[in-house]
Structures are given as structure tokens and as C-alpha cells.
Amino acid sequence: MQKKELLYEGKGKKLYKTDDDLLIVSVFKDDLTAFNAQKTGSEVGKGALNCKISTQLFHLLESHGIKTHLVKTLDDSSQLVKKVDIIPLEVVVRNIATGSLTKRLGIKDGTKLPFSLVEFYYKDDALNDPLVNDEHCLMMDLVKSESDLEELKRLGREINSILKKFFEIRGLNLVDFKIEFGVDSEGNILLSDEISPDSCRFWDIKTNEKLDKDRFRQGLGNVKMAYEEILKRILENK
Ligand code: TMP
């Protein structure tokens, strides 16, 4: 597979064309950003860790029948993926209140939610990715139909239930996470982008230690060590 010119550079990944119009190469970067790139940093090896973590989690989800964009890994920090039109929504699923949810609604940090909460954020850096409701999504044509919105919520909940169980037996609370979906050339909705400690919150069940990008956002240090710990636990045979 020939990697060709750069198509797009995001905060976490670079996407390259290939000699096949239906496939692209996604390269995971070492850069870290927070608060809409007002805070930036880098950790050598972070991209490779996220690539490995995301690959493992996408394989797990595929084994439970979730369709994803992943075709195969190419090297430590790149994946070959199906080209999709990204739905411009960040789908966030939460099990425990923290982050923007506690700030917006005044819920005490660490409160276990009575059910898994699914939220949509409009992917627009200039607007700081605002929270949107179903009618905003339809009004702005962010999705084709109400049934697509229902499908995104259903997929979010199903992915949460698979990942939550998987991490629980590895001693980690999946606090919340963000996923993105794309539509392929045949109109299928595929899980796309990545699932990694950049896009999830993991708290150690015993110690409550944060093992995700909040270590960078909150200046707690040992970012890479935390990501290594997540990969180690994912690879544990349970
Ligand atoms: P939040 O509490 O800041 O809204 O974040 C919810 C989840 O979404 C958390 O796991 C981090 C993830 N997330 C991203 O992956 N990218 C983002 O730009 C933001 C704001 C959150």
C-alpha cells in the first residue's frame, strides 16, 4: 500500500491518501492538546501507544459486531482505514460525572450516573465544540435523519457496555469517552477516529488514580506511564 500526499492534519493524527481511493493511512501523532489547543505538549511514543490501544479496542468491538473503519495496522503508529465522511459530531458517553458535565450542571465530581448518558457535541473548533441536542443536529443537517441520531445513541451505548465490562475486569473504571462515526462509500455508519486515553477517562478502581489525558490537561505528570499502564491492562489475558 503506497502512502501518498497528506490529506488532513488534525490535533492527534495525520491522514494520507493511498493509491486506493477508498483507503487512507492514519498516523497517530505524539502531540497533546487541551482546551482547544490553548495548552499543547508532546510525549515521544504517545502516538504509537494510542495506535496500539485503539487497534486493540477496535478489534474487541469488531468481535462484538460493531463495524469500524479499521482495515489493518501498518506499523507502530499507523493504521490503514476505510475512507469515510466524518459525521461532525463528537458522541460522548458518560458513566461517572466529571469534566464539563460537572461544570455545566453542578453535579459533584465522581458521582455515579443513574444511567449511561449520551451527549452530542458539534465538531467545530471555532465554536469550541458546543453541546447540541437532537433538534440542533437535524436543523443543521449534521445527520441525515432522526433514525441516524438514534443509531448513534444505540451504538454509543453498546460500545460503552462492551468497553465498560472489558475495563472493569482489568481494574479500571471507564468514566467517560468520546467517539466519532463516519459514513463509508456504501452508506454504512462506521466507528472511526480512535479510542485511546486521549479520548477516554480511565480511573483505577482501587486507587482512583487518573490514567488518561487528564494527567496532561491537569498537569499531573507521568502521562506516558499512564498510557503504558492502559495498554498493559488491555493486553492482560482475562
Ligand atoms: P468533557 O468532560 O471535557 O466534555 O469530556 C468528555 C470526554 O470526551 C472525555 O473522555 C474526554 C473526551 N474529549 C475528547 O476526546 N476530545 C475533546 O475535545 C473533549 C472536549 C473531550
Side-chain angles (χ1 to χ4, degrees):
M1 182 57 54
Q2 186 78 17
K3 184 165 115 188
K4 293 187 146 180
E5 71 263 31
L6 183 69
L7 255 182
Y8 172 81
E9 176 159 7
K11 289 182 215 153
K13 285 179 296 302
K14 286 184 181 177
L15 305 180
Y16 296 86
K17 276 192 172 180
T18 68
D19 39 27
D20 184 334
D21 269 351
L22 299 178
L23 300 175
I24 57 174
V25 172
S26 171
V27 180
F28 288 66
K29 304 199 308 186
D30 286 341
D31 301 352
L32 283 150
T33 69
F35 316 118
N36 267 56
Q38 282 181 31
K39 182 178 164 116
T40 60
S42 176
E43 288 272 346
V44 175
K46 193 263 318 185
L49 280 165
N50 274 2
C51 182
K52 290 187 185 122
I53 291 169
S54 198
T55 300
Q56 291 290 329
L57 297 178
F58 274 47
H59 283 155
L60 170 75
L61 292 167
E62 290 264 6
S63 77
H64 284 83
I66 305 284
K67 289 195 210 123
T68 82
H69 72 160
L70 180 62
V71 178
K72 61 175 181 182
T73 46
L74 296 173
D75 59 44
D76 263 10
S77 54
S78 20
Q79 295 177 335
L80 186 66
V81 300
K82 289 182 188 152
K83 190 170 175 184
V84 293
D85 286 326
I86 288 285
I87 297 171
L89 288 174
E90 298 199 331
V91 179
V92 169
V93 185
R94 303 180 187 267
N95 299 304
I96 296 173
T98 195
S100 71
L101 181 70
T102 56
K103 289 200 191 82
R104 184 178 311 108
L105 299 178
I107 302 169
K108 189 170 175 287
D109 197 275
T111 307
K112 188 176 179 298
L113 300 176
F115 55 87
S116 302
L117 182 70
V118 182
E119 299 174 324
F120 296 125
Y121 293 82
Y122 174 36
K123 264 169 71 72
D124 186 316
D125 281 342
L127 298 173
N128 287 330
D129 302 340
L131 178 71
V132 285
N133 70 17
D134 289 18
E135 292 197 352
H136 292 122
C137 296
L138 294 169
M139 180 186 69
M140 294 178 66
D141 284 328
L142 306 181
V143 288
K144 282 199 315 288
S145 62
E146 215 160 336
S147 71
D148 278 2
L149 277 180
E150 290 312 315
E151 179 68 358
L152 295 182
K153 287 183 212 170
R154 188 190 67 76
L155 284 165
R157 290 199 181 93
E158 193 177 338
I159 289 168
N160 180 54
S161 115
I162 298 163
L163 294 181
K164 196 166 167 285
K165 282 190 208 105
F166 177 82
F167 283 110
E168 234 155 47
I169 54 177
R170 288 168 175 77
L172 291 165
N173 267 323
L174 176 62
V175 174
D176 55 29
F177 61 92
K178 182 268 300 177
I179 43 181
E180 297 184 24
F181 294 91
V183 181
D184 71 7
S185 57
E186 290 162 1
N188 302 305
I189 295 182
L190 305 182
L191 176 67
S192 303
D193 191 52
E194 69 179 279
I195 303 183
S196 74
D198 272 9
S199 60
C200 303
R201 289 192 173 101
F202 299 109
W203 293 354
D204 186 278
I205 286 178
K206 282 202 196 113
T207 64
N208 255 351
E209 189 185 8
K210 296 177 193 213
L211 295 168
D212 56 65
K213 195 169 140 186
D214 273 350
R215 300 204 69 84
F216 171 74
R217 294 190 189 97
Q218 300 172 9
L220 301 172
N222 292 333
V223 177
K224 205 173 141 189
M225 228 195 279
Y227 286 41
E228 279 164 352
E229 180 64 25
I230 296 297
L231 179 60
K232 194 186 113 205
R233 302 241 194 141
I234 287 172
L235 295 175
E236 276 170 14
N237 250 329
K238 291 275 177 185

